[in-house]
Amino acid sequence: MSKFVLCIENKDYPSSLEKWKIYPAVKENEVEGYIRIIDESGEDYLYPEEYFVTIEVPSGAKEKIEKEYIKT
C-alpha cells in the first residue's frame, strides 16, 4: 500500500466514509472514475474518485496507518 487519500465527500455513503478522514487506497484504475479504499467496515470497496484527494503522509504516520488498516 503506498497511496493515501483524504475523504472530502460522503453524501451517498455516510455510514461507510467519514468526511475529512484519511483512508488507504488499495487499488487504482480498476474501474474508471472509481478508487478502491478500505472503508469504515474494514473491507475494501469502490467509491467515486471525486470523493477523495490524494495526500502525502509522513513515513512514521504511514506505517501506523498501514498497521491499523492491514491486520496481519
Side-chain angles (χ1 to χ4, degrees), residues 3-8 13 16 18 29-30 34 39 45 47-48 53-54 64-65 70:
K3 182 178 175 180
F4 292 91
V5 294
L6 177 68
C7 179
I8 58 171
Y13 310 97
S16 300
E18 280 188 40
N29 303 322
E30 184 177 356
Y34 288 83
D39 69 10
Y45 292 99
Y47 290 99
V53 292
T54 301
K64 290 181 181 186
I65 293 169
I70 300 175

Side-chain angles (χ1 to χ4, degrees), residues 5-6 22 25-26 52 55 69 71:
V5 294
L6 177 68
I22 297 170
V26 257
F52 305 92
I55 61 168
Y69 279 96
K71 310 282 187 203

Side-chain angles (χ1 to χ4, degrees), residues 11-58:
K11 65 181 176 185
D12 296 322
Y13 310 97
S15 61
S16 300
L17 298 173
E18 280 188 40
K19 200 170 180 182
W20 309 120
K21 184 174 179 180
I22 297 170
Y23 291 95
V26 257
K27 200 169 192 179
E28 292 183 85
N29 303 322
E30 184 177 356
V31 177
E32 188 174 329
Y34 288 83
I35 187 168
R36 183 173 293 277
I37 67 157
I38 299 173
D39 69 10
E40 295 302 316
S41 72
E43 300 293 326
D44 59 284
Y45 292 99
L46 287 171
Y47 290 99
E49 206 169 49
E50 66 194 34
Y51 282 24
F52 305 92
V53 292
T54 301
I55 61 168
E56 290 290 324
V57 176

